[in-house]
């Protein structure tokens, strides 16, 4: 018997309570705008119809819970998320995971870097992620447990120091470099955590998230584990999907200054790469829900959603269960 599972990543774009001050250059959301955003997000979730969804830019887990209540498909789903420090002066974004599959254990935030990874001396928060990744094990109907990690790596937004001005091209370049170093360090820390997870759990892994860089960038390839042993590596789901047609492949997840690119990715472990002997399944296809980007809907996310359909092979699933 074959089994299909659906995994998605969804950057919600500033999902926050009405009236919350998020950034200096962004006006707080009005009550009407808040209602429109929640209704659009709930509709989009029902359209995706994924079994497991990783979320980014969640400024309030209670707001995400309200979105789930407005859906048809996720009212009873498991919701894992951790709000930032409630005593903080300003809300900050975090990630979340929603699963219709049972959980193998409670979810956990992976806020700190591994001991052997750190930012350069003088960096702010040198030993932790800007937005803590989230980890949970989900149980497929066949009994296979899959480690799911939700991530949101540092953006390309320049990391200015308090006295810097964006008008100075040299200071701008240095600020961009600081952001790149932060994203690269976070990618390295994530790679170490994923390697440790592979050794500790011996379970299939799927990473869902906004990497703030394209699939063949240095930072994303660090997370993929280029150069590591095969059993520790990850694969871009869009590149190993069975139905990939290079001549018609038009997937993208962001539209910026008329330029289309994909920075939201789903990565899978060798168990979902059918070219490898340890495969227990395959990525059937990867779908990009991005029509709202061209329509420029004010209530919509500024990211497209990415959905991967994965088929588990019945015979190999049984073998994995027996070995477990």
């Amino acid at each position: 018997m074959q089994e299909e599972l659906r995994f998605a990543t969804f950057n919600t774009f500033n999902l926050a309570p009405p009236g919350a001050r998020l950034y200096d250059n962004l006006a707080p959301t009005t009550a009407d705008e808040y209602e429109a955003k929640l209704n659009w997000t709930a509709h989009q979730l029902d359209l995706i119809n994924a079994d497991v969804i990783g979320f980014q830019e969640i400024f309030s887990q209670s707001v995400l819970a309200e979105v789930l209540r407005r859906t048809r498909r996720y009212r009873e789903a498991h919701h894992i998320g951790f709000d930032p420090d409630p005593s903080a002066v300003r809300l900050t974004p975090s990630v979340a995971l929603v699963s219709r599959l049972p959980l193998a254990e409670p979810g956990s935030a992976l806020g700190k870097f591994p001991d052997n990874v750190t930012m350069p001396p003088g960096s702010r928060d040198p030993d932790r992620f800007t937005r803590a990744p989230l980890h949970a094990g989900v149980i497929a109907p066949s009994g296979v447990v899959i480690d799911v990690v939700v991530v949101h790596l540092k953006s390309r937004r320049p990391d200015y120091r308090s006295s810097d001005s964006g008008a100075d091209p040299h200071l701008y370049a240095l600020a961009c470099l600081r952001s790149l170093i932060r994203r690269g360090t976070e990618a390295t820390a994530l790679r170490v955590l994923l390697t440790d997870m592979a050794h500790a759990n011996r379970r299939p892994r799927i990473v869902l998230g906004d990497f703030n860089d394209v699939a063949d960038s240095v930072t994303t390839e660090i997370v993929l584990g280029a150069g590591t042993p095969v059993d520790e590596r990850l694969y871009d789901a869009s590149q190993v999907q069975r139905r990939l047609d290079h001549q018609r492949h038009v997937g993208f997840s962001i539209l910026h200054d008329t330029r289309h690119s994909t920075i939201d990715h789903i990565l899978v472990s060798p168990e979902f790469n059918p070219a490898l002997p340890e495969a227990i399944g395959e990525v059937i296809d990867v779908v990009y829900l991005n029509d709202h980007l061209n329509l420029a809907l004010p209530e919509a996310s500024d990211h497209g959603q990415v959905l991967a359909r994965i088929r588990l092979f019945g015979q190999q699933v049984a073998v994995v269960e027996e070995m477990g």
Side-chain angles (χ1 to χ4, degrees):
M1 186 179 89
Q2 292 183 330
E3 174 186 338
E4 180 180 314
L5 300 174
R6 297 159 67 99
F7 293 82
T9 184
F10 191 151
N11 184 316
T12 61
F13 184 46
N14 299 340
L15 192 66
R21 188 74 177 179
L22 306 182
Y23 301 106
D24 291 336
N25 61 347
L26 183 66
T29 305
T30 67
D32 288 344
E33 290 170 340
Y34 173 79
E35 286 296 316
K37 184 170 186 63
L38 263 60
N39 289 334
W40 180 88
T41 306
H43 174 269
Q44 200 73 356
L45 284 177
D46 283 331
L47 182 64
I48 293 170
N49 190 24
D51 298 295
V52 180
I53 304 177
F55 293 87
Q56 300 84 38
E57 295 200 24
I58 305 298
F59 283 82
S60 168
Q61 297 293 334
S62 63
V63 173
L64 177 56
E66 174 59 26
V67 169
L68 299 178
R69 285 190 287 269
R70 298 187 184 198
T71 66
R72 293 180 292 106
R73 303 182 188 274
Y74 296 94
R75 294 173 185 173
E76 305 299 325
H78 299 282
H79 170 197
I80 305 172
F82 304 93
D83 279 321
D85 182 359
S87 63
V89 176
R90 180 170 291 178
L91 292 177
T92 53
S94 60
V95 303
L97 182 143
V98 170
S99 176
R100 298 188 303 207
L101 301 178
L103 302 178
E105 64 268 325
S108 59
L110 309 175
K112 293 198 68 175
F113 292 162
D115 292 339
N116 56 344
V117 180
T118 186
M119 289 283 292
S123 301
R124 293 185 295 236
D125 299 322
D127 62 345
R128 63 185 57 248
F129 290 92
T130 307
R131 294 164 285 251
L134 189 153
H135 165 244
V138 301
I139 307 172
S142 58
V144 171
V145 178
I146 302 170
D147 282 315
V148 179
V149 179
V150 183
V151 304
H152 188 182
L153 299 186
K154 175 66 178 73
S155 72
R156 296 190 181 192
R157 183 179 295 111
D159 182 7
Y160 290 112
R161 294 297 179 250
S162 58
S163 60
D164 289 354
S165 167
D168 186 324
H170 294 160
L171 294 179
Y172 172 79
L174 289 172
C176 290
L177 177 60
R178 281 191 289 269
S179 287
L180 177 59
I181 292 172
R182 162 79 55 186
R183 187 165 63 259
T185 306
E186 291 186 353
T188 302
L190 182 59
R191 165 39 50 191
V192 174
L193 291 173
L194 289 166
T195 297
D196 291 345
M197 190 179 298
H199 292 169
N201 297 344
R202 300 292 177 181
R203 304 193 301 211
R205 285 150 287 136
I206 294 181
V207 182
L208 309 169
D210 177 354
F211 288 72
N212 271 305
D213 225 330
V214 295
D216 60 354
S217 68
V218 171
T219 55
T220 307
E221 289 191 343
I222 288 173
V223 180
L224 288 167
T228 61
V230 172
D231 63 333
E232 298 175 4
R233 287 202 60 183
L234 296 171
Y235 299 87
D236 179 6
S238 69
Q239 293 301 312
V240 298
Q241 63 177 307
R242 181 166 59 86
R243 297 180 181 174
L244 178 61
D245 183 341
H246 290 284
Q247 292 184 330
R248 301 185 61 190
H249 187 54
V250 291
F252 63 92
S253 71
I254 60 168
L255 173 59
H256 181 68
D257 291 339
T258 72
R259 186 174 58 188
H260 300 74
S261 61
T262 298
I263 62 174
D264 302 89
H265 307 295
I266 297 177
L267 311 183
V268 299
S269 61
E271 289 85 351
F272 303 117
N273 184 347
L276 300 176
E278 60 263 54
I280 65 169
E282 65 178 344
V283 180
I284 302 171
D285 58 17
V286 176
V287 180
Y288 297 84
L289 293 88
N290 49 29
D291 286 346
H292 58 278
L293 298 180
N294 290 318
L295 295 173
L297 302 175
E299 67 272 22
S301 172
D302 62 344
H303 285 240
Q305 291 74 60
V306 185
L307 169 68
R309 298 169 57 223
I310 294 176
R311 176 187 293 126
L312 299 185
F313 305 141
Q315 182 179 1
Q316 287 160 314
V317 168
V319 171
V320 171
E321 289 177 334
E322 291 172 6
M323 293 175 59

